[in-house]
Amino acid sequence: MSIEYLHTMVRVKDLEKSMAFYEMLGLKERRRSESEKGRFTLIFMCPPGQEDGHNDLELTYNWDGDDALPDDSRHFGHVAYRVDDIYALCQTLMDNGVTINRPPRDGHMAFVRSPDNVSVELLQKGDAKEPQEPWASMENTGSW
């Protein structure tokens, strides 16, 4: 089973100021996604010439603010990996005592935590798998 590194996510309090900082480092905006329902913006930035999505820094900006930043250690969000079979990997993790914090109910995305409490996003390679049990009805556990 292969695994592919995707990105690291950090939360930002001032999107324009943060983007300007990362642009000074040489990163460029590669992709932007806005969610009216979730009330957030995602900006994926990468070094020039590396627009394949394998070196992204995801800036997450919450529209309603995030007043605890920078004091609450919420800057770092998660690392993300694309996997061949999200169900098989989640089952292997669960069989080895790992809690599936956000099960892959949609056949596409799951979250787990490392032993050091690092949030890890798992994304299904290609199209989402058809929803199936036990994942489809599994509730979230803890935070992710």
Side-chain angles (χ1 to χ4, degrees):
M1 183 179 304
S2 70
I3 187 168
E4 176 184 3
Y5 174 78
L6 294 178
H7 64 261
T8 297
M9 182 274 266
V10 294
R11 287 179 183 83
V12 300
K13 186 170 185 169
D14 182 322
L15 184 58
E16 298 309 316
K17 191 182 272 187
S18 293
M19 287 183 67
F21 170 79
Y22 290 108
E23 287 169 354
M24 283 189 289
L25 294 179
L27 301 182
K28 303 292 180 199
E29 181 176 334
R30 183 181 72 79
R31 182 168 61 98
R32 180 181 293 242
S33 174
E34 296 189 343
S35 172
E36 183 74 35
K37 182 179 176 186
R39 304 198 45 75
F40 62 84
T41 299
L42 306 178
I43 305 287
F44 292 86
M45 299 185 78
C46 67
Q50 298 180 34
E51 291 85 8
D52 61 1
H54 291 89
N55 298 295
D56 284 349
L57 177 65
E58 174 190 328
L59 305 182
T60 297
Y61 173 70
N62 295 313
W63 298 355
D64 298 324
D66 209 338
D67 293 335
L69 291 177
D71 297 331
D72 75 346
S73 301
R74 286 179 26 91
H75 285 94
F76 172 77
H78 61 260
V79 295
Y81 292 95
R82 187 178 342 263
V83 300
D84 288 334
D85 186 336
I86 197 164
Y87 293 148
L89 181 56
C90 285
Q91 187 64 57
T92 296
L93 292 169
M94 217 166 64
D95 291 347
N96 285 279
V98 175
T99 299
I100 309 300
N101 300 102
R102 194 281 191 190
R105 288 183 294 276
D106 55 5
H108 175 70
M109 178 179 66
F111 277 87
V112 297
R113 293 269 182 170
S114 77
D116 298 303
N117 210 28
V118 173
S119 183
V120 179
E121 179 181 20
L122 305 172
L123 295 167
Q124 174 61 43
K125 187 176 189 175
D127 294 335
K129 293 182 156 293
E130 288 295 318
Q132 68 181 43
E133 295 300 336
W135 316 110
S137 60
M138 190 180 286
E139 296 292 322
N140 291 346
T141 302
S143 63
W144 39 279

